[in-house]
Amino acid sequence: MATSEGISPKTEELRIVLLGKVGAGKSKVARLLFGSKEPKGEIGSCVLREGEARGRRICLVDTPGWDRLAINKTPNNVKNEIVRSVTLCPPGPHALTVVLRVESDADGPSVKELKSVSHHMELLSERVWKHTMVLFLCDEEVEEPAVRQYIQKANRLLEKCGNRQYVLRSEDQVPEFLQEIEKTVEGNCGDFFLPPMYYEYMQSKIPKNITEMKQKYEDREERLKMGYQTRINQYKRQAEETVLRQRRGSFQGERPSCEYYVVRKYISKNVILTPFHN
């Protein structure tokens, strides 16, 4: 079994949760991974599938779709299933994959749609973004400009999850897609997403003095960062002022003496004279 200390890509399973709006194509992703029709579950409930995908052991949780535009329009049972999904692949998923369907005849996801994604994902807490990847799912005939437009419009969402993304068009890309998920796992040092209920329980068991010490350490670290940034800004200002003074000096310069002009005049005529002194 995988542990929070790390996983071995060759021997351990990958635990993945698929999330997205109604009609995003999560079931299609499951078919591409396993090469066959996905098992049917109850409407509005999660579907768990375990098996082999390109030589890798996969535990996949497909969640019911949320409302495209607003979390308050998503039924409560669907919200509950989203929260429950991460408990179905214990001890927790390695990657949470948000599926965005790319369509050639659409302008890309709207601002409301992307806010809906964020609000639904954060049902699992802010910690979720560390383990999240955005999967742009499209048919093979969708042209590249349309895909780029979707990616550009989803820029803020991508920033939240560390720009982890992949464009999936066909079954042939499955090995590469799994490699991208493995990169997410490696980036988290093999750690997985701990479901909120377990995380809160573990936090409650931490002694108060340790919690306070942790807070003091974090506050001190923040003060040190701010102090360091202040010094950097001071050095930058000093350097800019030095350069500015040098530029002013080069423009103003000292006026040459009369002696210079006299010598210069006669030297130009190849005549040697004693310099004129003021």
Side-chain angles (χ1 to χ4, degrees):
M1 179 176 291
T3 67
S4 61
E5 282 73 25
I7 69 165
S8 170
K10 294 182 179 179
T11 59
E12 300 289 350
E13 68 179 1
L14 281 177
R15 301 186 295 276
I16 306 167
V17 175
L18 298 176
L19 302 112
K21 68 177 184 179
V22 175
K26 299 183 297 297
S27 297
K28 180 178 179 179
V29 175
R31 289 196 300 272
L32 291 174
L33 284 173
F34 292 107
S36 61
K37 291 184 178 180
E38 75 284 354
K40 298 294 182 181
E42 296 181 12
I43 296 176
S45 64
C46 294
V47 175
L48 173 65
R49 181 166 184 177
E50 298 177 275
E52 295 286 331
R54 302 302 174 101
R56 292 299 310 276
R57 177 74 180 172
I58 303 293
C59 177
L60 185 73
V61 180
D62 186 1
T63 60
W66 57 56
D67 185 83
R68 183 174 70 91
L69 298 178
I71 190 171
N72 57 9
K73 294 182 180 179
T74 298
N76 287 332
N77 68 300
V78 172
K79 295 177 189 176
N80 292 336
E81 284 296 294
I82 291 171
V83 174
R84 188 174 77 97
S85 66
V86 293
T87 68
L88 298 178
C89 49
H94 292 113
L96 297 102
T97 304
V98 177
V99 182
L100 292 183
R101 192 174 191 90
V102 181
E103 299 173 292
S104 56
D105 59 347
D107 294 330
S110 65
V111 173
K112 284 187 176 182
E113 185 174 344
L114 292 171
K115 283 184 178 180
S116 179
V117 172
S118 294
H119 293 158
H120 283 92
M121 291 298 293
E122 287 170 5
L123 288 171
L124 295 164
S125 80
E126 286 281 347
R127 295 181 297 111
V128 75
W129 297 114
K130 184 180 177 183
H131 303 271
T132 298
M133 169 193 287
V134 177
L135 179 64
F136 295 94
L137 179 66
C138 58
D139 297 328
E140 294 188 60
E141 60 268 19
V142 176
E143 297 181 356
E144 193 62 29
V147 178
R148 287 199 297 268
Q149 184 177 23
Y150 265 74
I151 293 174
Q152 184 177 5
K153 288 201 170 184
N155 182 54
R156 288 192 177 181
L157 178 64
L158 291 171
E159 287 178 356
K160 286 191 172 187
C161 61
N163 203 39
R164 289 180 290 272
Q165 58 176 289
Y166 189 75
V167 178
L168 182 63
R169 294 176 179 270
S170 68
E171 187 177 342
D172 294 336
Q173 293 177 271
V174 167
E176 190 174 63
F177 170 53
L178 294 177
Q179 287 177 5
E180 289 300 314
I181 291 181
E182 287 171 358
K183 287 180 183 178
T184 299
V185 180
E186 291 171 5
N188 289 320
C189 300
D191 200 6
F192 52 81
F193 177 74
L194 193 64
M197 64 176 68
Y198 303 142
Y199 180 81
E200 291 168 6
Y201 174 78
M202 292 178 65
Q203 289 294 106
S204 69
K205 294 300 179 182
I206 298 176
K208 184 178 179 181
N209 60 337
I210 294 179
T211 303
E212 292 175 351
M213 187 182 300
K214 178 184 175 184
Q215 186 62 49
K216 288 180 180 178
Y217 175 81
E218 290 175 350
D219 292 343
R220 179 176 177 273
E221 186 178 26
E222 188 63 29
R223 288 195 302 271
L224 288 173
K225 286 180 181 178
M226 291 176 66
Y228 176 75
Q229 189 60 48
T230 300
R231 289 195 297 274
I232 290 295
N233 292 336
Q234 288 175 346
Y235 294 147
K236 285 182 178 179
R237 284 196 299 271
Q238 291 173 0
E240 290 171 357
E241 289 172 0
T242 301
V243 171
L244 186 58
R245 284 196 299 270
Q246 290 173 346
R247 288 178 178 175
R248 287 174 178 170
S250 65
F251 287 141
Q252 294 173 358
E254 294 185 359
R255 181 183 296 276
S257 67
C258 294
E259 174 185 350
Y260 172 82
Y261 283 106
V262 172
V263 175
R264 185 76 176 172
K265 177 180 179 181
Y266 286 102
I267 287 178
S268 65
K269 295 182 179 181
N270 298 318
V271 178
I272 300 176
L273 294 176
T274 303
F276 175 80
H277 295 282
N278 292 328

